[in-house]
Amino acid sequence: MRTFIGGQEAVTASEFEELALGFDERPMGLDRELFLGAAEETPAERAARLDAACDVLADLREQGETDEIAAWDALYADALSRTVPLLRSAARVRRAPWTGEAA
């Protein structure tokens, strides 16, 4: 069975999403950047973002008691917020492999 959207065939699931949702549009849902953060944010911006993320996560957990989707969103947001230290440490370590003492 073939799937066509707007006259184009979608071969993979990600291609289907891209064609269905648009190239520049993101699906509705959580603001991932709120929980992931940005590498170039200042400490004050980070504190404000984390405060807002905690409030959103608390609201999602409260809504999750009666709404299954909100419960899943809360789990996803919590997982996103836990990945921040790993992403930040990886951004700091990036450098050219030919630099350092061995070069």
Side-chain angles (χ1 to χ4, degrees), residues 45-61:
E45 291 171 335
R46 183 174 189 268
R49 180 186 53 77
L50 289 175
D51 188 40
C54 285
D55 290 343
V56 169
L57 188 55
D59 289 344
L60 286 172
R61 286 181 177 150

Side-chain angles (χ1 to χ4, degrees), residues 14 22 45 69 84:
S14 61
E45 291 171 335
I69 293 174
V84 172

Side-chain angles (χ1 to χ4, degrees), residues 6-68:
Q8 293 184 349
E9 182 179 3
V11 179
T12 64
S14 61
E15 197 172 65
F16 175 79
E17 285 182 45
E18 191 174 88
L19 290 171
L21 299 173
F23 292 99
D24 295 329
E25 298 174 18
R26 296 183 106 178
M28 297 295 292
L30 290 175
D31 180 11
R32 292 177 44 194
E33 292 174 1
L34 177 65
F35 296 97
L36 290 175
E40 64 275 352
E41 68 186 358
T42 65
E45 291 171 335
R46 183 174 189 268
R49 180 186 53 77
L50 289 175
D51 188 40
C54 285
D55 290 343
V56 169
L57 188 55
D59 289 344
L60 286 172
R61 286 181 177 150
E62 184 179 318
Q63 292 172 3
E65 294 174 5
T66 57
D67 182 7
E68 183 179 0

